[in-house]
Amino acid sequence: MVDFNPVEQLQMPIIQKWKNGNLLLKNLLSNEVGIQLQPINPPYRVAYYYDSGYLRDETLQKIVDAGFDFILSCDMYLDIVPKGVNKGSTLLNLLELLNLNHESVITCGDSLNDLSLFQTGLNSIAVGNSEPKLIDEVKTLPNVFQSKNPGLYGIIEGLDFYNKKELFHLDSCLN
């Protein structure tokens, strides 16, 4: 049975790497120009908006020097995450934990914060309305299908490409 409860075996290493980084990072970056804290408070990530005209390399270096990774996406989002933790690494850890076959998974995305999913080597779909910087990054990855259609239609097109549409009874959606 599928549920949406946290998977403790996946969360514990993330929590240990995070080391209550929320307060530390907010204090570290409180006077930095070109960033504004987003009005959300996720437990193991700090999310900012950034202005590319004002965001300084020194600000990003502070994040790295403090022992964290950052992801810039859509020319406006700055996400700070535990070092080595991203969507792709977490998905691979989950597949290993559940002993799932990699062929049973297809990743999908549209922005640079999804890049790590595509870098897993799993079959993947970059939807048609993807961020141009993401397309630049994935164009040489042989496991990524680049859809012409946006959003859900792009995913359906990708499922057709991977011969997986029948799993969702989508045989007539793009015909």
Side-chain angles (χ1 to χ4, degrees):
M1 177 179 205
V2 175
D3 64 45
F4 293 99
N5 292 316
V7 179
E8 187 175 332
Q9 298 95 319
L10 293 180
Q11 277 204 313
M12 287 313 296
I14 294 170
I15 292 167
Q16 290 167 351
K17 287 180 179 184
W18 187 242
K19 299 178 187 170
N20 293 318
N22 297 65
L23 185 59
L24 179 136
L25 286 161
K26 290 174 185 176
N27 287 335
L28 179 71
L29 303 174
S30 64
N31 295 318
E32 293 295 317
V33 296
I35 61 173
Q36 177 185 353
L37 198 59
Q38 290 184 29
I40 59 173
N41 195 26
Y44 314 116
R45 171 174 67 96
V46 176
Y48 288 89
Y49 299 111
Y50 79 92
D51 182 326
S52 60
Y54 294 97
L55 179 64
R56 301 175 316 143
D57 290 338
E58 294 84 6
T59 301
L60 300 176
Q61 191 60 50
K62 278 186 177 183
I63 296 166
V64 172
D65 291 345
F68 299 93
D69 286 341
F70 65 87
I71 303 165
L72 299 174
S73 61
C74 299
D75 291 325
M76 67 183 294
Y77 300 114
L78 164 61
D79 290 312
I80 305 170
V81 296
K83 185 110 182 123
V85 174
N86 55 55
K87 291 179 180 183
S89 64
T90 303
L91 176 58
L92 290 176
N93 289 337
L94 179 64
L95 295 177
E96 183 178 328
L97 178 71
L98 298 177
N99 196 28
L100 292 176
N101 182 331
H102 288 199
E103 295 301 314
S104 67
V105 176
I106 299 175
T107 69
C108 307
D110 64 357
S111 70
L112 278 174
N113 73 358
D114 300 315
L115 179 60
S116 64
L117 290 170
F118 299 133
Q119 292 171 328
T120 61
L122 298 168
N123 286 339
S124 299
I125 303 165
V127 295
N129 56 330
S130 291
E131 177 181 358
K133 290 178 182 176
L134 175 69
I135 295 301
D136 287 343
E137 292 288 332
V138 302
K139 64 184 169 192
T140 60
L141 297 177
N143 60 300
V144 179
F145 172 75
Q146 294 180 38
S147 172
K148 293 177 179 51
N149 291 297
L152 178 59
Y153 286 113
I155 294 169
I156 294 169
E157 182 186 1
L159 291 174
D160 188 41
F161 175 82
Y162 289 116
N163 297 312
K164 300 289 185 182
K165 260 187 3 182
E166 70 281 352
L167 295 174
F168 301 96
H169 306 289
L170 300 171
D171 296 330
S172 63
C173 285
L174 290 179
N175 298 331

